[in-house]
Amino acid sequence: MSEISKAYEPQSVEDRWYDFWLKHHCFTADPKSSKPAYSIVIPPPNVTGVLTMGHVLNNTIQDILARKARMDGKEVLWLPGTDHAGIATQTVVERTLKKSGEIRHRDDLGREKFLERVWQWKEKHGGIIIQQLKKLGASCDWTRERFTMDPEYSKCVQRVFVDLYKKGMIYRGKRMVNWCPVSLTALSDEEVVMKEQKGTLYYFKVEIAEAPGTFLTVATTRPETIPGDTAVAVNPKDPRYAQFIGKHVVRPLPAELPREQKLIPIIGDEYVDFEFGTGVLKVTPAHDKADFEIGHRHKLAPIEVIDAAGQMNDAAGADLRGLDRFKARKVAAEKLTELGAMEKEEPYTNNVGFSERADVPIEPRLSEQWFLKYPSVEKSQAVVAKGEMKFHPDRWAKVYDHWMSGIQDWCISRQLWWGHRIPVWSKKANAGESGFGRVQTQLNVFKQNGILIHMNLYTPHAKKEGTINVLQNDPQENYFARLDVAVDPSQTEIISLLEQNGFTQDPDVLDTWFSSWLWPFATMGWPEQTETLKKFYPTTDLVTGPDIIFFWVARMIMAGFEYMGELPFKNVYFTGIIRDKQGRKMSKSLGNSPDPLDLIGKYGADALRFGTMRSAPLGQDILFDEQNVELGRNFCNKLWNACRFRQMQGGSVQEEIDPKLLTSDDKWILLKLDAAIREVNAAFAEYKFSDATAALYRFFWSEYCDWYIEASKASLSGSAVDEARKKNTLAVIDFVLSHMLRLFHPFLPFISEELWHGMGYSGDMPEKQGGQTIMFAPWPKPLDDEFKSFYALSANDEKFIETRNEFIAQGRNLRRNANLPANKKVKFILKPSGKTTANDIEVLKLLLNAEAVEANPNFQPGKNALAVRGEPGELFLPLEGLIDVEAEKTRLTKEIEKCQAEIGKVESKLNNPSFAQKVPANVLAEHKQRLMEWQDKLAHAQAALDGLKG
RNA sequence: AGGCGCUUAGCGCAGCGGUAGCGCAGCAGCUUUACACGCUGUUGGUCGGGGGUUCGAAUCCCUCAGCGCCUACCA
């Protein structure tokens, strides 16, 4: 073993081993391997993103799982990659170009030039996060890194689109969608987050045209949409208003319009809640989802008054035209007041949908979009409900089930440029044109030749091939019919035919999640039945945040069933959310989000990993505190020094252990190792990583370092070193350390590898199973019965050391009671209770920090000698007048009180007649035993107190 | 508004029917020859409130309160 420094310096170690692993292809998965498969696909981070604490948590867990699986002898594929993140990436590039003054709008560049710039941006900033993941130690198979806009991946996306189109699952429809006036695109329901907003509820009155002087009062939060109102609705069962149904009211805005153009009907609709507001609802079909449906039921043509960018249009009238919708709200309210229509304004809190990305209120807007009816819904829902796919923690299964039950069609088109362009070519025809007969005939030739091609003809009257009849009752569309042709973009012949005939490709791109939902198989070479796909699909575990359970997890399950006929993963681990010390979410604006790379630089990647895992219990949010990382650093340093200590003892490495030479301490630590292995295994089985780290922490620090190593010094460097015994102790130490390093490896990959080699433990391992790297060393097995009986390990050894340690703790206590500083060496006297070996005495001396421990079976304590009693006998600390009698009296009195309290508790139970009758025998016996123990302690303390007085 | 979760020592958590525990912080002492990124000792809690079941409740049931998350078209 090479020379080892006093403190662990991760910086000099980590890069070296990462390069080593890469150079030796340790992360590369071999689909031809005969080992059982274990696989994870990474939740692809945004290609231009940077590493956050959330990524650290998520990817550390994946790395732990992957590394553990390798040590378990699995063939592991951890498949990495990045996501093109349509809106986020496009927004960033657009903003940058605007900021530099290069463009005012993306149209200034045009689609192709703009996309060139995005690709440039991606080349420049993309992949930073990949480098950062490497710093963290992520053991991804980088040879298989994928990007959702890779050519092969894009083909998968288009193929799936065309397939679902053919199946009639994808359709085009004019619907109310969530429109983001900043990103200028439609969003799916999942991309809308509800936020509580403080606003105003405006009450205004409208006159009933047929009954002049009679008014209805309407309550609204959005007076700016009044010009878009096409009716007021009341509940037909509402006795106050039912009589007015069929009459008309005069809409107050736009003010300049003549009265007869502002007459709108009073309609009856069960949707209206007569408890709320005034029970009269204004109906704005163009700008409200519910109103749209009411409008639809009553055949009311919508009036659009807000444009795509959220500004009022001409139809909104002279007062509002050109204003931003929020400015318009105020102006509209003022106008109502001015007109004398405003009755009152009340402060009001309601929930408003915000665009997740742009963080502005979305505007419900009628527009033509592509929708997907989800495939394989029932199967996907059942697989979790039946427990064939497990969620950890499982309460998320309920959330999933609930969402799947109320699943809505997915709006998959986005009015963006960065993404997968929708592979549909279409042409509209006016009523006078001859239609599409010629093109259809030509396309049918391709179809007959088995080339993927699907058509939908949209007309006001006919339905063909699953057509959705969108043109009916749509006066805004001025064409007669449209032919949509979905075709795989690789079919260039068809596309040129289409384009020659005046067809153009749909300008929109697909929602980013429409590509991510294929991730588990599209990354593995689908639709080819590749070796990789056969070996590694379905994947074993998925690790992700619960915030994307609908965005991603649910959709992957459905895509998995639809295209692979099988679930995409067997287990889903949902991490918590990383928050700051005060429990706030990490965010850029709060500045409470530490840069993980800074932390790695300061403390090391292992420290960051360990600190994070230690504080991340399953199913709970994580409060990030740099102190945890510091603790991880301290832990690594302790591990480093524990190994350094072993190294300083010299001797040859990993000798055979001779059962005959084992001390009780040796046996004890072997049993503790066994317990630790079992605990860590149990924790892994339940994905409880914080339990695993806690067990390792306790075993290594408290049991191994604090007790075992200190005790073993008796054999290693005591007054009378027995060479054979020393050699045997070193063998035990090597045994424990070599197991421990392996247990640590998934959590602390770098330092464990460094020490594995540094200590020479790799030396006697087979090349592929630990010889080359600890990564493939076999995961420690619990000690079996054969092992235990060969080394004569028994519960008695464990019990003996445990009581001995308790005894030592009490002995150390004597010092404090006597106010003796730790550096004052004192002599203890032991009155042994049974056989006491020289080694036992030596261990006592070391652990008591004593000048000497004198064994004297006939010792008669004089006055002022402190005493404790335990397994090895009675221990005395003679003090000859140095003792602080009062302090000791206080302590003993306190102890007596404690004993009496406990005795009281147990006695009151035992004296309860029904207790003895009803309680199980073992519990009764245990209580009696407990009573005796406390009584014994009481007697002892009482005697000691009496001794002081005497 | 519904659903889920949480409430145990200053902080973060474990325990989930039979003597309230762990880590960190705090306090006191210590250059004990692996480690001050350390060692030794140690102070903190009627387990959110109330009621019930039980011989026995932090643990099971009911109820109230606070916090958090998710779902939802109440203007």
Side-chain angles (χ1 to χ4, degrees), chain A residues 816-836:
Chain A
R816 178 181 155 82
N817 297 328
N819 271 334
L820 291 177
N823 59 348
K824 176 141 176 120
K825 293 278 185 185
V826 289
K827 197 160 119 183
F828 286 85
I829 294 161
L830 177 72
K831 196 172 172 183
S833 56
K835 58 197 159 75
T836 307

Side-chain angles (χ1 to χ4, degrees), chain A residues 641-673:
Chain A
N641 276 288
C643 288
R644 197 161 76 99
F645 172 75
R646 159 64 188 97
Q647 189 195 30
M648 289 166 82
Q649 305 307 317
S652 48
V653 176
Q654 285 194 296
E655 291 286 324
E656 284 289 314
I657 298 172
D658 181 348
K660 294 191 295 294
L661 293 173
L662 289 176
T663 64
S664 299
D665 284 294
D666 293 334
K667 293 181 181 180
W668 179 79
I669 198 63
L670 290 171
L671 286 166
K672 286 293 161 190
L673 171 65

Side-chain angles (χ1 to χ4, degrees), chain A residues 681-697:
Chain A
N681 284 348
F684 265 106
E686 294 180 67
Y687 295 81
K688 290 184 170 175
F689 304 106
S690 60
D691 284 11
T693 52
L696 289 170
Y697 188 98

Side-chain angles (χ1 to χ4, degrees), chain A residues 600-612:
Chain A
I600 289 174
K602 198 167 160 193
Y603 300 104
D606 286 331
L608 178 61
R609 293 166 61 114
F610 198 76
T612 307

Side-chain angles (χ1 to χ4, degrees), chain A residues 732-884:
Chain A
V732 172
I733 289 177
D734 284 334
F735 183 87
V736 173
L737 281 180
S738 72
H739 279 71
M740 200 149 53
L741 288 176
R742 281 179 278 160
L743 292 171
F744 280 135
H745 179 255
F747 302 90
L748 310 172
F750 295 110
I751 191 173
S752 59
E753 183 79 278
E754 174 74 5
L755 290 169
W756 183 249
H757 294 270
M759 300 300 291
Y761 298 149
S762 58
D764 63 350
M765 303 294 269
E767 175 72 4
K768 293 285 171 203
Q769 291 169 44
Q772 182 189 55
T773 158
I774 193 172
M775 276 185 64
F776 299 106
W779 181 254
K781 288 191 185 58
L783 309 183
D784 56 25
D785 290 344
E786 197 187 334
F787 183 101
K788 285 181 186 168
S789 90
F790 182 74
Y791 290 103
L793 310 180
S794 74
N796 284 344
D797 300 302
E798 207 170 350
K799 181 76 183 159
F800 172 72
I801 293 300
E802 238 115 77
T803 45
R804 197 271 324 264
N805 289 352
E806 232 170 82
F807 177 75
I808 287 167
Q810 290 180 56
R812 285 166 171 170
N813 229 318
L814 295 179
R815 260 182 189 284
R816 178 181 155 82
N817 297 328
N819 271 334
L820 291 177
N823 59 348
K824 176 141 176 120
K825 293 278 185 185
V826 289
K827 197 160 119 183
F828 286 85
I829 294 161
L830 177 72
K831 196 172 172 183
S833 56
K835 58 197 159 75
T836 307
T837 66
N839 184 68
D840 290 340
I841 302 286
E842 188 63 23
V843 171
L844 285 180
K845 184 191 140 193
L846 274 164
L847 295 184
L848 286 167
N849 184 28
E851 186 184 26
V853 173
E854 185 188 307
N856 181 354
N858 305 312
F859 182 72
Q860 291 298 321
K863 274 188 197 173
N864 297 344
L866 301 186
V868 294
R869 199 160 41 132
E871 182 65 40
E874 271 186 283
L875 187 72
F876 298 95
L877 180 56
L879 287 161
E880 265 108 68
L882 288 173
I883 185 173
D884 182 341

